[in-house]
Amino acid sequence: MAAKNEIFFRKLFDETHGKAFNFLKALSRDENVAREITQTSFIKIWKHIDKFKDHPNPKALVYVTVKNTFLDEMRKQNRLNALLTSMEENEHLHHTIADTSGDSPVAGEAFAAVHSAIKKLPEHIQRIYTLYQFEELSPVEIADTLQLSVTTIRTNIETAKLFLRRELKKFRN
């Protein structure tokens, strides 16, 4: 079975990789970005090869996967840019986790409390919350990575948020 999957994947890769790369290069206007997203897309395709084998038009599904991977990456980049802009606009957020010993002992205490509160979560919820909050993976991506249902992931994220709100109540304005 694995050999058939490899043969199917190789054929699909050979037929679509070049066009997918060129499509992404045109969208992103950056060869390195196109290369990264193409690679990420084909890793996703390999992980879900059975879905592609069963699809009536696997080539079309490749291009949908490539487009969606590109859009996901752009959303992540936009969230990061929005966060950086917000930090620049709000001077009180200039303190980073690495620089908590400077002129704001309250910020250092808050970051230490956040770290400590996350450590109190059950290990599986810590992992899910970390992937969601710090790695910026979507619940669907986390579910795929951990082989759990999306509902389970969303429930665990909400559980973590509620717990952290209670634990960190004194730091809220």
Side-chain angles (χ1 to χ4, degrees):
M1 186 64 130
K4 286 183 181 181
N5 286 349
E6 288 180 35
I7 291 168
F8 178 81
F9 178 80
R10 173 53 62 190
K11 184 176 187 267
L12 190 62
F13 180 88
D14 290 343
E15 292 175 356
T16 59
H17 181 269
K19 289 179 183 175
F21 173 75
N22 289 334
F23 171 70
L24 289 169
K25 195 164 104 176
L27 276 178
S28 66
R29 296 187 181 111
D30 185 327
E31 194 168 315
N32 292 325
V33 169
R35 193 173 291 117
E36 286 286 324
I37 295 174
T38 303
Q39 182 177 6
T40 301
S41 298
F42 278 95
I43 290 170
K44 287 180 181 180
I45 292 166
W46 174 250
K47 286 181 179 179
H48 301 285
I49 195 66
D50 289 332
K51 188 187 315 183
F52 285 80
K53 283 174 61 177
D54 295 338
H55 197 274
N57 190 349
K59 288 181 189 177
L61 194 53
V62 167
Y63 298 115
V64 169
T65 302
V66 166
K67 177 193 72 161
N68 288 342
T69 303
F70 173 78
L71 292 173
D72 289 346
E73 290 300 318
M74 293 304 103
R75 283 186 200 105
K76 284 180 188 176
Q77 189 63 44
N78 287 340
R79 282 195 306 260
L80 178 61
N81 288 341
L83 176 63
L84 293 173
T85 300
S86 173
M87 288 177 73
E88 289 169 0
E89 291 172 353
N90 298 298
E91 210 163 300
H92 67 281
L93 295 176
H94 279 282
H95 300 283
T96 64
I97 292 173
D99 182 26
T100 58
S101 61
D103 55 0
S104 179
V106 174
E109 184 182 342
F111 286 123
V114 169
H115 180 71
S116 175
I118 290 172
K119 289 292 183 192
K120 290 180 184 177
L121 290 166
E123 191 174 320
H124 70 283
I125 296 178
Q126 275 184 45
R127 178 155 168 73
I128 291 167
Y129 186 75
T130 301
L131 290 170
Y132 176 75
Q133 189 64 39
F134 302 110
E135 299 293 327
E136 296 183 348
L137 295 180
S138 71
V140 173
E141 292 170 321
I142 297 168
D144 185 46
T145 301
L146 300 179
Q147 299 297 303
L148 296 169
S149 75
V150 176
T151 303
T152 299
I153 299 302
R154 287 189 174 126
T155 301
N156 282 295
I157 290 169
E158 288 308 311
T159 300
K161 286 179 179 179
L162 287 170
F163 176 80
L164 293 172
R165 275 189 208 113
R166 282 193 306 269
E167 284 289 308
L168 302 169
K169 194 174 189 174
K170 75 176 189 176
F171 293 101
R172 295 176 73 197
N173 292 337

